[in-house]
Amino acid sequence: MNDPVMDAAGLPADVPLTAVTRGGLVESVHRGRYAVCDPRGDELEARGDPEAQVYLRSSAKPFQALPLVLSGAADAFGLTDEELAVACASHNAEEPHLAAVRSILEKAGLSEGDLQSGAHPPMYGPAAAELVREGEGPRPIHGNCSGKHAGMLAVCAHEGYETLDYREPGHPLQRRILELLAEVCGVEEDEVLVAGDNCGVPAFALPLRSFATGLARIATGEELPDGVAGAALRIRDAMRSHPFMVAGTGRFDTDLMWRTHLLAKGGAEAVLAVGDPEGWGLALKISDGSQRAVRPAALTALEGMGVEVGTWDATVRGLHGEAVGKFEPLI
Amino acid sequence: MNDPVMDAAGLPADVPLTAVTRGGLVESVHRGRYAVCDPRGDELEARGDPEAQVYLRSSAKPFQALPLVLSGAADAFGLTDEELAVACASHNAEEPHLAAVRSILEKAGLSEGDLQSGAHPPMYGPAAAELVREGEGPRPIHGNCSGKHAGMLAVCAHEGYETLDYREPGHPLQRRILELLAEVCGVEEDEVLVAGDNCGVPAFALPLRSFATGLARIATGEELPDGVAGAALRIRDAMRSHPFMVAGTGRFDTDLMWRTHLLAKGGAEAVLAVGDPEGWGLALKISDGSQRAVRPAALTALEGMGVEVGTWDATVRGLHGEAVGKFEPLI
């Protein structure tokens, strides 16, 4: 690619990926960058700077769930594939998600009160309205990360780790997650930037290309350290078998897994992780963090990789149902 | 300014305005452009391309309200300044907004049933939750544009125009609005691009610089066609006297008018219109349409114009209340 590596403000170079038109004019533009790598780390495709770091946010969840399998906790507690999938989820807090999270906690001898995932209203509008009608405020279990937190707590219960401070970067579970993330993505631990995620556990930033490489490895089981491949494939298969548990109604990563053979996991600030079991990983970041641009940009990138995703309605509609504009690819 | 006019994709040139950081790293970036002009149309400041068009969206509302005053409808129906302000509003559907919209309709001999503003849940969270608790769906009056539509209907009632098709671009009221917008902004009518706004009335696109010039004229009453200056100043003063009616609790344009001597009106897809009664107008567009970037970008631009706006908390907080990042200016 001939993209410059840095723009004038010292930011990672990105390219216009998606336009939102109105009438005959581009009204808004979403820029971004993506990289596609094979399990060896060779770059198959890229737009914008693939070397600059990107926060994985919730697209790190399949990596963060590795200790749940590797420690033996998933087997010891008899977790189902649905439960493994919700441990990798940014879920809508629809009833099946809540039931799976509760089940993980119960099997591990814990309860909702142990969750430190932070409370926010359910991402799924009707579930949020139902809580309001019941006169209840959101609890940590309704937070989209509660499955991840339940999975982390299950590891702690199994390993005999302290469950009160499991969110701390220095906690043995969080240290193990960082170690595994670096290993799978092929970077040194000190190359991973660690900050705080909104739910209170560490958030990680990696070069986009390393993230794509890690996704290729999770999706294929190839080029992985001893013992990790089996756990990666089990997580991949749990997510692929239960796309609804990974997000929910109307969510792009769920829909993409239903429609294709791919592994997919979105993240806050408009990150998307995709893995093709046949041999590559794609890491996408919309520079401005707008979720609405992830789907159209990803479809363009996936089309470039020869993936058939079917048609998606790109129309923008007004309040009377009329078409006022559309999402259009810019590459 | 030395910014290029067009980027490689043929889009209007913009510049990075605001970063959203996490830990020590820029996580997301919002680009945009703005122009500041005096009432004669001379450019005082600009970032990005000031000549390319921008959809005004709801920041056109002060212009769209001009016929309400100019036709004599506001006087004939005895509209208050609060009611004039809500006719220029993208309101939160808080109780005072709904009461003012109902009052306009009643004074004009009309009712809620005449509104064709389209229904969406109140923009203000607690008002939306209250509707859910009451088991009611949103009605057109809850739409943020219902004040504008009530004002348009009042003009129709006063002028004897048909009220069933008042949203159509060919309706005499909409033709008059287009004529006034072009006059005030100093462009020919055929230089204004007309598309559909989400609430079903025409949306207008103008060169950013012309929009800024129109705002300078609305805010000062200078350089305006005969008869229009008085209407412009009356609308300016109504909005300035009742900032709450223009948006509502927690909204930036309301807050900015409370804190300063400026006229301010936001619009969808992250447009902001600002007018200084002492002599300039500022038109801002965040390229990606993200509302969250309007405040930090506007504060930077206003600081450049020597406006004292006081401090605003730029911290991004996680679900446990902890600081995880912040908004930082890039210019």
Side-chain angles (χ1 to χ4, degrees), chain A residues 106-307:
Chain A
E106 276 167 29
K107 288 177 176 178
L110 300 161
S111 72
E112 254 194 75
D114 292 297
L115 287 173
Q116 297 179 28
S117 36
H120 65 77
M123 291 180 76
Y124 184 56
E130 182 60 26
L131 261 193
V132 169
R133 274 193 293 272
E134 292 168 356
E136 286 185 37
R139 303 190 302 279
I141 196 169
H142 300 110
N144 74 85
C145 299
S146 67
K148 175 181 70 179
H149 283 251
M152 288 177 171
L153 282 162
V155 178
C156 294
H158 181 260
E159 297 289 279
Y161 297 156
E162 177 59 66
T163 56
L164 283 176
D165 62 351
Y166 73 93
R167 296 193 286 113
E168 295 303 317
H171 186 282
L173 171 61
Q174 300 301 342
R175 294 179 61 87
R176 179 70 177 130
I177 287 170
L178 173 59
E179 181 184 52
L180 282 163
L181 177 69
E183 270 186 326
V184 172
C185 294
V187 298
E188 299 298 319
E189 277 185 49
D190 60 9
E191 294 178 78
V192 181
L193 278 184
V194 180
D197 214 324
N198 286 21
C199 69
V201 302
F204 308 107
L206 288 174
L208 195 68
R209 185 206 296 261
S210 305
F211 183 28
T213 301
L215 292 166
R217 292 175 179 177
I218 288 266
T220 60
E222 296 173 19
E223 306 283 335
L224 284 174
D226 285 351
V228 178
L233 294 180
R234 184 156 164 201
I235 285 167
R236 176 198 76 180
D237 291 342
M239 293 172 69
R240 289 267 329 125
S241 302
H242 302 283
F244 181 86
M245 299 306 289
V246 174
T249 304
R251 299 278 298 282
F252 177 60
D253 38 12
T254 290
D255 289 346
L256 187 59
M257 286 194 280
W258 269 331
R259 286 174 179 231
T260 68
H261 62 289
L262 303 171
L263 178 72
K265 180 70 194 84
E269 294 291 323
V271 172
L272 183 71
V274 179
D276 185 332
E278 292 169 20
W280 48 260
L282 179 154
L284 166 74
K285 164 71 180 176
I286 304 297
S287 301
D288 56 68
S290 295
Q291 288 295 339
R292 71 175 182 180
V294 170
R295 183 174 83 186
L299 294 180
T300 304
L302 292 172
E303 192 179 357
M305 294 305 295
V307 177

Side-chain angles (χ1 to χ4, degrees), chain B residues 118-137:
Chain B
H120 66 77
M123 291 180 74
Y124 184 56
E130 182 60 25
L131 262 192
V132 170
R133 275 192 294 271
E134 291 168 356
E136 287 185 37

Side-chain angles (χ1 to χ4, degrees), chain A residues 7 22 27-31 55 57 116-117 119 129 196 198-199 269 285 287-288 290 292 318-320, chain B residues 7 22 25 27-31 55 57 116-117 119 132 196 198-199 269 285 287-288 290 292 318-320:
Chain A
D7 84 358
R22 179 173 299 267
E27 181 166 27
S28 297
V29 178
H30 297 284
R31 303 173 66 98
Y55 277 113
R57 303 297 300 277
Q116 297 179 28
S117 36
N198 286 21
C199 69
E269 294 291 323
K285 164 71 180 176
S287 301
D288 56 68
S290 295
R292 71 175 182 180
L319 294 169
H320 301 277
Chain B
D7 83 357
R22 179 173 298 267
L25 193 66
E27 180 166 29
S28 297
V29 178
H30 297 284
R31 302 173 67 97
Y55 277 112
R57 304 297 303 275
Q116 297 179 29
S117 36
V132 170
N198 286 22
C199 69
E269 294 291 323
K285 165 72 180 176
S287 301
D288 57 67
S290 296
R292 71 176 182 179
L319 294 168
H320 301 277

